[in-house]
Amino acid sequence: MYSQLGGTFPAPLFLFLAGVSFALVTDKLLQKQLSANQIAKTTIRRGAEIFALGLLFRVQEFAISLGWAPWSDLGRVDILNTIGVSMMLMGVMCWAVLKARVDRTFLSDLPEQAHPTPTRVSAPHVQQNMVITAILVTAAIAFLTPLLWTTWRLHFLPWQLETYINGVHNLGTPQAWLFPIFPWTAFAFAGLAFGFILSSNPVKNAGTRTFAFILAAGIALIYLSKFLDSRKLQLYSVYDYWHTSPNFFLVRLGMLLLLIVFAYAWCRWGLGQRAFSPLIQLGNT
């Protein structure tokens, strides 16, 4: 059990941190009063660049192994591909939330303005909308994963596209060693929600108390996962806890929150204050 949890932990960590950093960057762009289109252009382009780098790595590996590597390796979905796709999807989500907010503000102000031109976002509840939407997308990805891997498989798609949905590659069935959108992108959207929560003023003002709540939330998610997994009644006709179950997603998300609390404590009260800390060094680099 513990080897399976630990062995699958780095990828969720990378994706979660990608979501957190995406939220922090988007928040900075919002503070600069950029329009929704400008923010989307910046963030989606960055995701596309990372996705392109992932494809280039595939080409490099294929060239190095030329002669014995199958051509299908070029279509393998690896973690860098998924990070790039996740960032583009998060950019689309943020753009949709910002545009919806602008449109609502525009309609409410319409009778009072002769020539309204709502191009910039200054609504006070944008972060709240981002958090709620990101959580909903996270839940949707987690709940749809078992279906898209089994009974709802998109057989009509060529495997080069379907593999980004469920990691089927060219092997006929979804492969657990690949990194498709379902379920992996859910970690990025969870990080996106977490990042917007951290950047909100109430959380900033709460200080250390914030991490007490994060600790409690992490423990609660782990025990919720164990509780749901122990139930005899399951929602899915095919239940695979270690690969597609939303319960497994919950336990890994809980572990991520505990790791964040540990990192904070290490830098705030632990050896990070007395000796070299890789986390502090990373933040200063």
Side-chain angles (χ1 to χ4, degrees):
M1 172 181 176
Y2 295 106
S3 62
Q4 287 176 291
L5 283 173
T8 61
F9 201 60
L13 178 60
F14 292 152
L15 286 160
F16 187 83
L17 292 179
V20 172
S21 63
F22 193 98
L24 298 179
V25 169
T26 302
D27 185 64
K28 290 291 185 183
L29 296 176
L30 283 170
Q31 292 177 17
K32 294 180 180 179
Q33 290 294 299
L34 296 183
S35 68
N37 290 341
Q38 289 172 317
I39 294 174
K41 180 180 178 181
T42 300
T43 54
I44 294 175
R45 181 176 59 191
R46 180 56 177 162
E49 291 171 353
I50 294 177
F51 179 72
L53 287 175
L55 296 179
L56 287 176
F57 276 122
R58 297 280 76 75
V59 173
Q60 179 195 38
E61 288 183 347
F62 182 77
I64 292 174
S65 307
L66 192 63
W68 60 270
W71 69 268
S72 58
D73 279 1
L74 293 171
R76 190 172 74 243
V77 183
D78 214 335
I79 185 63
L80 198 58
N81 305 68
T82 306
I83 291 175
V85 172
S86 299
M87 291 180 66
M88 289 188 283
L89 292 175
M90 288 188 292
V92 172
M93 189 217 81
C94 291
W95 173 83
V97 171
L98 293 173
K99 290 293 287 184
R101 189 72 194 180
V102 167
D103 290 343
R104 286 198 297 271
T105 304
F106 168 66
L107 292 175
S108 63
D109 294 344
L110 188 59
E112 304 173 7
Q113 299 181 11
H115 301 286
T117 55
T119 59
R120 304 192 183 278
V121 179
S122 58
H125 301 299
V126 168
Q127 287 178 327
Q128 179 181 346
N129 293 343
M130 291 287 195
V131 170
I132 294 173
T133 307
I135 291 175
L136 291 176
V137 174
T138 300
I141 294 173
F143 280 109
L144 287 173
T145 295
L147 298 173
L148 291 172
W149 278 51
T150 54
T151 56
W152 288 9
R153 275 191 56 191
L154 306 180
H155 294 281
F156 60 89
L157 292 176
W159 72 261
Q160 293 89 344
L161 294 180
E162 188 186 357
T163 191
Y164 278 90
I165 303 298
N166 54 26
V168 69
H169 200 54
N170 65 338
L171 301 175
T173 57
Q175 304 297 306
W177 50 275
L178 294 177
F179 300 92
I181 293 173
F182 296 86
W184 296 100
T185 301
F187 292 104
F189 278 95
L192 182 69
F194 186 77
F196 278 118
I197 291 173
L198 285 183
S199 62
S200 63
N201 288 328
V203 171
K204 289 179 180 178
N205 296 333
T208 304
R209 288 175 296 172
T210 297
F211 291 88
F213 286 112
I214 295 173
L215 176 64
I219 295 173
L221 287 175
I222 292 173
Y223 276 96
L224 177 62
S225 171
K226 295 180 64 177
F227 171 78
L228 294 176
D229 182 58
S230 65
R231 301 300 93 186
K232 293 182 179 180
L233 179 63
Q234 298 295 340
L235 295 176
Y236 306 101
S237 57
V238 180
Y239 182 73
D240 185 351
Y241 178 82
W242 293 107
H243 297 129
T244 62
S245 170
N247 298 330
F248 188 37
F249 170 78
L250 286 177
V251 75
R252 288 191 288 186
L253 184 58
M255 290 173 61
L256 284 170
L257 296 182
L258 296 184
L259 181 61
I260 289 172
V261 174
F262 173 78
Y264 175 80
W266 177 275
C267 296
R268 184 72 169 80
W269 301 295
L271 293 178
Q273 292 293 330
R274 307 172 194 170
F276 172 75
S277 171
L279 292 172
I280 295 177
Q281 182 61 45
L282 181 63
N284 293 331
T285 302

